[in-house]
Amino acid sequence: MSRDAGRRPSPQRAGLVVLALLVLAPGFRQAASVAAEPTVPAAQARLFKDDLEREVRVPVPPRRIVSLLPSLTETICALGACERLIATDRFSNWPARVSSLPKIGDFEHLELESLVRLAPDLVLLSRTQRIDGRLAQLGLAGFALDSETYASIAHDVAAIGALLGEPQRASALNERIEREVQRIGAAARGAQHGRAPSVYFEVDPTPYAAGASSYIGELLGRLGARNIVDRALGPFPKLNPEYVVRRDPDIIMMSSDQPDALEQRPGWAELRSVRAGHICRFDKAVRDTIVRPGPRVAEGMAALAACLARWPA
């Protein structure tokens, strides 16, 4: 995953480099209702409040947009505004048409000179990216969005829809996401027999994990799985390998490009999931749908569900 979270690796970033959300049901539709609504109209522009509680003046509608996070890039395109993108972060690769756009850096290293030359009228970024102040100094409209939780998917869709002047399209997208997520979750829980399987989702081999409070953790919970990483540890904690050994998960989920020799980690040879081969390795294309909190979340959830279905508890 890009780093859609702060300075710790998060799935969007750990899946990208060493990457960086929740309560759907009524919460998803409610989140969609709190879009960034314009507060102060002005000639050719409006003030919108971002998730850093700042009022940002944005042209109406913005025509030259830069996205600095893959999930935000995907949301713009899902709302039918791909043609307004003039550049993205270097990890944005979906839909395929964005791959040909100029790439101006990653979560932590941004090519500011290139960004200024592009003269965007809107820059979308995560609220945990520490460059919003620099953008303001350069006279650029940086709009920061929360990308930490599952509920933030609906919020971001609605907020970007408001910025683009496409609120109805955003509402329809959120309804579709909610409908699909509920369907997949209900089917997975309905197919379960006995106890819920315990799961360890590895973000990267440091190891950073997706905790119960992360958006990936929320998806697993909706599928009826038990995350071995305690909610109190935060969304994407760095773990001592012994932590996994003590909790002995039924299933391990990880990227296909991570090391194969899990049994060489201290104590891991005795894990029942390692002994039985209950390990799901997602290739990059599938993993992107899982670790990016964006409009393809139902695709990622379906991949998680398929993994769980292979080894019912």
Side-chain angles (χ1 to χ4, degrees), residues 1-4 12-20 66-74 85-111 114-115 118 123-125 129 131 284 288 292:
M1 320 163 185
S2 77
R3 206 184 189 188
D4 266 30
Q12 272 201 77
R13 179 166 187 253
L16 303 172
V17 189
V18 149
L19 211 196
V66 171
S67 170
L68 299 182
L69 210 58
S71 61
L72 302 181
T73 301
E74 295 188 10
L85 285 166
I86 59 171
T88 72
D89 66 284
R90 68 187 181 95
F91 297 117
S92 288
N93 58 1
W94 189 92
R97 62 188 293 183
V98 307
S99 296
S100 61
L101 291 173
K103 304 300 179 183
I104 56 172
D106 55 33
F107 190 89
E108 294 179 336
H109 303 99
L110 188 63
E111 298 172 12
S114 297
L115 182 59
L118 287 167
V123 180
L124 291 178
L125 65 156
Q129 287 175 277
I131 59 169
K284 185 180 184 306
D288 282 350
R292 294 177 180 179

Coordinates of all heavy atoms in Angstrom, one line a residue, residues 1-4 12-20 66-74 85-111 114-115 118 123-125 129 131 284 288 292:
M1 N 0.8 -1.1 0.0 CA 0.0 0.0 0.0 C 0.9 1.2 0.0 O 1.9 1.1 0.6 CB -0.8 0.0 1.2 CG -1.3 -1.4 1.4 SD -1.8 -1.8 2.9 CE -2.1 -3.3 2.9
S2 N 1.0 2.5 -1.1 CA 1.6 3.8 -0.8 C 1.6 4.0 0.6 O 1.1 3.2 1.3 CB 0.7 4.9 -1.4 OG -0.4 5.0 -0.6
R3 N 1.9 5.0 1.1 CA 1.8 5.1 2.5 C 0.6 6.0 2.7 O 0.6 7.2 2.7 CB 3.0 5.8 3.1 CG 3.2 5.4 4.5 CD 4.3 6.2 5.0 NE 4.7 5.7 6.3 CZ 5.6 6.3 7.0 NH1 6.2 7.4 6.6 NH2 5.9 5.9 8.2
D4 N -0.6 5.4 3.0 CA -1.8 6.1 3.2 C -1.9 6.3 4.7 O -2.9 6.7 5.2 CB -3.0 5.3 2.7 CG -3.4 5.8 1.3 OD1 -2.5 6.1 0.6 OD2 -4.6 5.7 1.0
Q12 N -1.0 0.6 2.2 CA -0.9 1.3 0.9 C 0.6 1.5 0.6 O 1.0 1.4 -0.5 CB -1.6 2.6 0.8 CG -3.0 2.3 0.3 CD -3.7 3.5 -0.3 OE1 -3.4 3.8 -1.4 NE2 -4.5 4.1 0.5
R13 N 1.4 1.8 1.6 CA 2.8 2.1 1.4 C 3.6 0.8 1.4 O 4.4 0.6 0.6 CB 3.3 3.1 2.3 CG 4.8 3.4 2.0 CD 5.4 4.6 2.7 NE 6.7 4.8 2.2 CZ 7.7 4.6 2.9 NH1 7.7 4.1 4.1 NH2 8.9 4.8 2.4
A14 N 3.4 0.0 2.4 CA 4.2 -1.2 2.6 C 4.0 -2.1 1.4 O 4.9 -2.8 1.0 CB 3.8 -1.9 3.8
G15 N 2.8 -2.0 0.8 CA 2.6 -2.8 -0.4 C 3.2 -2.2 -1.6 O 3.5 -2.8 -2.6
L16 N 3.6 -0.9 -1.5 CA 4.2 -0.2 -2.6 C 5.7 -0.2 -2.4 O 6.4 -0.6 -3.3 CB 3.7 1.2 -2.6 CG 2.2 1.4 -2.7 CD1 1.7 2.8 -2.5 CD2 1.7 0.8 -4.0
V17 N 6.1 0.3 -1.2 CA 7.5 0.3 -1.0 C 7.7 -0.6 0.2 O 8.0 -1.8 0.0 CB 8.0 1.7 -0.5 CG1 9.5 1.7 -0.5 CG2 7.5 2.8 -1.4
V18 N 7.6 -0.2 1.3 CA 7.5 -0.9 2.6 C 6.3 -0.1 3.1 O 6.4 0.9 3.8 CB 8.7 -0.7 3.4 CG1 8.4 -0.7 4.8 CG2 9.7 -1.8 3.0
L19 N 5.1 -0.1 2.3 CA 3.9 0.8 2.3 C 3.6 1.8 3.5 O 3.4 1.5 4.5 CB 2.8 -0.1 2.3 CG 1.6 0.3 1.6 CD1 0.4 -0.4 1.9 CD2 1.7 1.2 0.7
A20 N 2.0 2.7 3.6 CA 1.0 3.4 4.4 C 0.1 3.5 3.5 O -0.6 3.5 3.6 CB 0.3 4.2 5.0
V66 N -3.6 17.1 -9.2 CA -2.5 16.1 -8.9 C -2.9 15.3 -7.7 O -3.4 15.8 -6.7 CB -1.2 16.9 -8.6 CG1 -0.1 15.9 -8.1 CG2 -0.7 17.6 -9.8
S67 N -2.8 14.0 -7.8 CA -3.1 13.1 -6.7 C -1.8 12.5 -6.2 O -1.0 12.0 -6.9 CB -4.0 12.0 -7.1 OG -4.1 11.0 -6.1
L68 N -1.6 12.5 -4.8 CA -0.4 12.0 -4.2 C -0.6 10.7 -3.5 O 0.2 10.3 -2.7 CB 0.2 13.1 -3.3 CG 0.6 14.4 -4.0 CD1 1.2 15.4 -2.9 CD2 1.5 14.2 -5.1
L69 N -1.7 10.0 -3.8 CA -1.9 8.7 -3.1 C -2.7 7.8 -4.0 O -3.7 8.3 -4.6 CB -2.7 9.0 -1.8 CG -2.6 8.1 -0.6 CD1 -1.1 8.0 -0.2 CD2 -3.5 8.5 0.5
P70 N -2.4 6.6 -4.2 CA -3.1 5.7 -5.1 C -4.6 5.6 -4.9 O -5.4 5.6 -5.8 CB -2.4 4.4 -4.9 CG -1.0 4.7 -4.5 CD -1.2 5.9 -3.6
S71 N -5.0 5.5 -3.6 CA -6.4 5.4 -3.4 C -7.2 6.6 -3.8 O -8.3 6.5 -4.3 CB -6.7 5.1 -1.9 OG -6.2 6.2 -1.1
L72 N -6.6 7.8 -3.7 CA -7.2 9.0 -4.1 C -7.3 9.1 -5.6 O -8.3 9.5 -6.2 CB -6.5 10.2 -3.5 CG -6.4 10.3 -2.0 CD1 -5.7 11.6 -1.5 CD2 -7.8 10.2 -1.3
T73 N -6.2 8.7 -6.3 CA -6.2 8.6 -7.7 C -7.3 7.7 -8.2 O -8.0 8.1 -9.2 CB -4.8 8.0 -8.2 OG1 -3.7 8.9 -7.8 CG2 -4.8 7.9 -9.7
E74 N -7.5 6.5 -7.6 CA -8.5 5.6 -8.0 C -9.9 6.2 -7.8 O -10.8 6.0 -8.6 CB -8.3 4.3 -7.3 CG -7.0 3.6 -7.7 CD -6.9 2.2 -7.1 OE1 -7.9 1.7 -6.5 OE2 -5.8 1.6 -7.1
L85 N -6.7 14.6 -14.2 CA -5.4 14.4 -13.5 C -4.3 14.8 -14.5 O -4.3 14.4 -15.7 CB -5.3 12.9 -13.2 CG -6.1 12.4 -12.0 CD1 -6.1 10.9 -11.9 CD2 -5.5 12.9 -10.7
I86 N -3.4 15.5 -13.9 CA -2.2 15.9 -14.7 C -0.9 15.3 -14.2 O 0.1 15.3 -14.9 CB -2.0 17.4 -14.8 CG1 -1.9 18.0 -13.4 CG2 -3.2 18.1 -15.5 CD1 -1.5 19.5 -13.3
A87 N -1.0 14.6 -13.0 CA 0.2 13.9 -12.5 C -0.3 13.2 -11.2 O -1.3 13.5 -10.6 CB 1.3 14.9 -12.1
T88 N 0.5 12.2 -10.9 CA 0.2 11.4 -9.7 C 1.5 11.0 -8.9 O 2.6 11.3 -9.4 CB -0.5 10.1 -10.0 OG1 0.4 9.2 -10.6 CG2 -1.7 10.3 -10.9
D89 N 1.4 10.4 -7.8 CA 2.5 9.8 -7.1 C 3.0 8.6 -8.0 O 2.3 8.2 -8.9 CB 2.1 9.3 -5.7 CG 1.1 8.1 -5.8 OD1 -0.1 8.4 -6.1 OD2 1.5 7.0 -5.7
R90 N 4.2 8.1 -7.7 CA 4.8 7.1 -8.6 C 4.2 5.7 -8.4 O 4.4 4.8 -9.2 CB 6.3 7.0 -8.3 CG 6.8 6.5 -7.0 CD 8.3 6.7 -6.9 NE 8.8 6.1 -5.7 CZ 9.3 4.9 -5.6 NH1 9.3 4.1 -6.6 NH2 9.8 4.5 -4.4
F91 N 3.3 5.5 -7.4 CA 2.7 4.2 -7.2 C 1.3 4.1 -7.8 O 0.8 3.0 -7.9 CB 2.7 3.9 -5.7 CG 4.0 3.8 -5.0 CD1 4.4 4.7 -4.0 CD2 4.9 2.9 -5.4 CE1 5.6 4.6 -3.4 CE2 6.2 2.8 -4.9 CZ 6.5 3.6 -3.9
S92 N 0.7 5.2 -8.2 CA -0.6 5.2 -8.8 C -0.5 4.5 -10.1 O 0.2 4.9 -11.0 CB -1.2 6.6 -9.0 OG -1.6 7.1 -7.7
N93 N -1.2 3.4 -10.3 CA -1.1 2.6 -11.5 C -2.5 2.0 -12.0 O -2.6 1.2 -12.9 CB -0.2 1.4 -11.3 CG -0.6 0.5 -10.1 OD1 -1.6 0.7 -9.5 ND2 0.2 -0.5 -9.9
W94 N -3.6 2.5 -11.3 CA -4.9 2.0 -11.7 C -5.9 3.2 -11.7 O -5.8 4.0 -10.8 CB -5.4 1.0 -10.8 CG -6.7 0.3 -11.3 CD1 -6.8 -0.8 -12.0 CD2 -8.0 0.8 -11.1 NE1 -8.1 -1.1 -12.3 CE2 -8.9 -0.1 -11.7 CE3 -8.6 1.9 -10.4 CZ2 -10.3 0.0 -11.8 CZ3 -10.0 2.0 -10.4 CH2 -10.8 1.1 -11.1
P95 N -6.7 3.3 -12.8 CA -6.8 2.5 -14.0 C -5.5 2.6 -14.8 O -4.7 3.5 -14.6 CB -8.0 2.9 -14.7 CG -8.2 4.3 -14.2 CD -7.8 4.4 -12.8
A96 N -5.4 1.8 -15.8 CA -4.1 1.7 -16.6 C -3.7 3.1 -17.2 O -2.5 3.4 -17.3 CB -4.2 0.7 -17.7
R97 N -4.7 3.9 -17.5 CA -4.4 5.2 -18.2 C -3.6 6.1 -17.3 O -2.9 7.0 -17.9 CB -5.7 5.9 -18.6 CG -6.6 6.2 -17.5 CD -8.0 6.7 -17.9 NE -7.9 8.0 -18.6 CZ -9.0 8.7 -19.0 NH1 -10.2 8.2 -18.9 NH2 -8.9 9.8 -19.6
V98 N -3.6 6.0 -16.0 CA -2.9 6.9 -15.2 C -1.4 6.6 -15.2 O -0.6 7.4 -14.7 CB -3.4 6.9 -13.7 CG1 -4.9 7.2 -13.7 CG2 -3.1 5.7 -12.9
S99 N -1.0 5.4 -15.6 CA 0.4 5.0 -15.7 C 1.2 5.9 -16.6 O 2.4 6.1 -16.4 CB 0.5 3.5 -16.1 OG -0.1 2.7 -15.2
S100 N 0.6 6.5 -17.6 CA 1.3 7.3 -18.5 C 1.5 8.8 -18.0 O 2.1 9.6 -18.7 CB 0.6 7.3 -19.9 OG -0.7 7.8 -19.8
L101 N 0.8 9.1 -16.9 CA 0.9 10.5 -16.4 C 2.3 10.8 -15.7 O 2.9 9.8 -15.3 CB -0.2 10.7 -15.3 CG -1.6 10.8 -15.9 CD1 -2.6 10.8 -14.7 CD2 -1.9 12.0 -16.8
P102 N 2.7 12.0 -15.7 CA 3.9 12.3 -15.0 C 3.9 11.8 -13.5 O 2.8 12.0 -12.9 CB 4.0 13.8 -15.0 CG 3.2 14.2 -16.2 CD 2.1 13.2 -16.3
K103 N 5.0 11.3 -13.0 CA 5.1 10.8 -11.6 C 6.0 11.8 -10.9 O 7.1 12.0 -11.3 CB 5.6 9.4 -11.6 CG 4.8 8.4 -12.4 CD 3.4 8.3 -12.0 CE 2.6 7.4 -12.8 NZ 1.1 7.3 -12.4
I104 N 5.5 12.3 -9.8 CA 6.3 13.4 -9.1 C 6.7 13.0 -7.7 O 6.8 13.8 -6.8 CB 5.5 14.7 -9.0 CG1 4.1 14.4 -8.4 CG2 5.3 15.2 -10.4 CD1 3.4 15.7 -8.1
G105 N 7.0 11.7 -7.5 CA 7.5 11.3 -6.2 C 6.6 10.3 -5.5 O 5.7 9.7 -6.0
D106 N 6.9 10.0 -4.2 CA 6.2 9.1 -3.4 C 5.7 9.8 -2.1 O 5.7 11.0 -2.0 CB 7.0 7.8 -3.1 CG 8.3 8.2 -2.4 OD1 8.4 9.1 -1.6 OD2 9.3 7.4 -2.7
F107 N 5.3 9.0 -1.2 CA 4.7 9.5 0.1 C 5.6 10.5 0.8 O 5.1 11.5 1.3 CB 4.4 8.3 1.0 CG 3.5 8.7 2.2 CD1 2.1 8.7 2.0 CD2 4.1 9.1 3.4 CE1 1.3 9.1 3.1 CE2 3.3 9.5 4.4 CZ 1.9 9.5 4.3
E108 N 6.9 10.2 0.8 CA 7.8 11.1 1.6 C 8.7 12.0 0.7 O 9.2 13.0 1.2 CB 8.7 10.2 2.5 CG 7.9 9.4 3.5 CD 8.8 8.5 4.4 OE1 9.8 8.1 3.9 OE2 8.4 8.2 5.5
H109 N 8.9 11.6 -0.5 CA 9.8 12.4 -1.4 C 9.1 12.9 -2.6 O 8.9 12.2 -3.5 CB 11.0 11.5 -1.8 CG 11.8 11.0 -0.6 ND1 11.6 9.7 -0.1 CD2 12.7 11.6 0.3 CE1 12.3 9.5 0.9 NE2 13.0 10.6 1.2
L110 N 8.8 14.2 -2.5 CA 8.0 14.8 -3.6 C 8.9 15.8 -4.4 O 9.7 16.5 -3.8 CB 6.9 15.6 -3.0 CG 5.8 16.2 -3.9 CD1 5.1 15.1 -4.7 CD2 4.8 17.0 -3.2
E111 N 8.8 15.7 -5.7 CA 9.5 16.6 -6.6 C 8.8 17.9 -6.7 O 8.0 18.2 -7.6 CB 9.7 16.0 -8.0 CG 10.5 14.6 -7.9 CD 10.4 13.9 -9.2 OE1 10.0 14.5 -10.2 OE2 10.8 12.7 -9.3
S114 N 8.9 20.1 -10.0 CA 8.1 19.5 -11.0 C 6.6 19.8 -10.8 O 5.9 20.2 -11.7 CB 8.3 18.0 -11.1 OG 9.6 17.7 -11.5
L115 N 6.2 19.8 -9.5 CA 4.8 20.0 -9.1 C 4.5 21.5 -9.4 O 3.4 21.8 -10.0 CB 4.6 19.7 -7.7 CG 3.2 19.9 -7.1 CD1 2.2 19.1 -7.9 CD2 3.2 19.6 -5.6
L118 N 3.9 22.2 -13.1 CA 2.7 21.6 -13.6 C 1.5 22.6 -13.4 O 0.4 22.5 -14.0 CB 2.4 20.3 -13.0 CG 3.2 19.1 -13.5 CD1 3.1 17.9 -12.6 CD2 2.8 18.8 -14.9
V123 N -4.3 19.8 -5.3 CA -3.4 18.7 -5.0 C -4.1 17.9 -3.9 O -4.3 18.4 -2.8 CB -2.0 19.2 -4.5 CG1 -1.1 18.0 -4.2 CG2 -1.4 20.1 -5.6
L124 N -4.4 16.6 -4.2 CA -5.0 15.8 -3.2 C -3.9 14.9 -2.5 O -3.1 14.3 -3.2 CB -6.1 14.9 -3.8 CG -7.3 15.6 -4.3 CD1 -8.2 14.6 -5.0 CD2 -8.1 16.3 -3.2
L125 N -4.0 14.8 -1.2 CA -3.0 14.1 -0.4 C -3.6 13.6 0.8 O -4.7 13.9 1.3 CB -1.8 15.0 -0.1 CG -2.0 16.2 0.8 CD1 -0.7 16.5 1.5 CD2 -2.5 17.4 0.0
Q129 N 0.6 13.1 5.2 CA 1.8 13.5 4.4 C 2.2 14.9 4.9 O 1.4 15.8 4.9 CB 1.4 13.5 3.0 CG 1.3 12.1 2.4 CD 0.8 12.1 0.9 OE1 -0.3 12.2 0.6 NE2 1.8 12.0 0.0
I131 N 3.6 17.5 4.0 CA 4.0 18.5 3.0 C 3.0 19.6 2.8 O 3.2 20.5 1.9 CB 4.4 17.8 1.6 CG1 3.1 17.1 1.1 CG2 5.5 16.9 1.8 CD1 3.3 16.7 -0.3
K284 N 0.7 -8.7 -6.7 CA 0.7 -7.3 -6.5 C -0.7 -6.7 -7.0 O -1.2 -5.8 -6.3 CB 1.8 -6.6 -7.3 CG 1.9 -5.1 -7.1 CD 3.0 -4.5 -7.8 CE 3.1 -3.0 -7.5 NZ 1.8 -2.3 -7.7
D288 N -3.0 -4.8 -4.3 CA -3.3 -3.4 -4.3 C -4.8 -3.2 -4.0 O -5.1 -2.1 -3.4 CB -3.0 -2.9 -5.8 CG -1.6 -2.6 -6.0 OD1 -0.8 -2.6 -5.0 OD2 -1.2 -2.3 -7.2
R292 N -5.3 -0.8 -0.5 CA -5.7 0.6 -0.9 C -7.1 0.9 -0.4 O -8.0 0.3 -1.0 CB -5.5 0.9 -2.4 CG -4.1 0.8 -2.8 CD -4.0 1.0 -4.3 NE -2.6 0.9 -4.8 CZ -2.2 1.0 -6.0 NH1 -3.1 1.2 -7.0 NH2 -0.9 1.0 -6.3

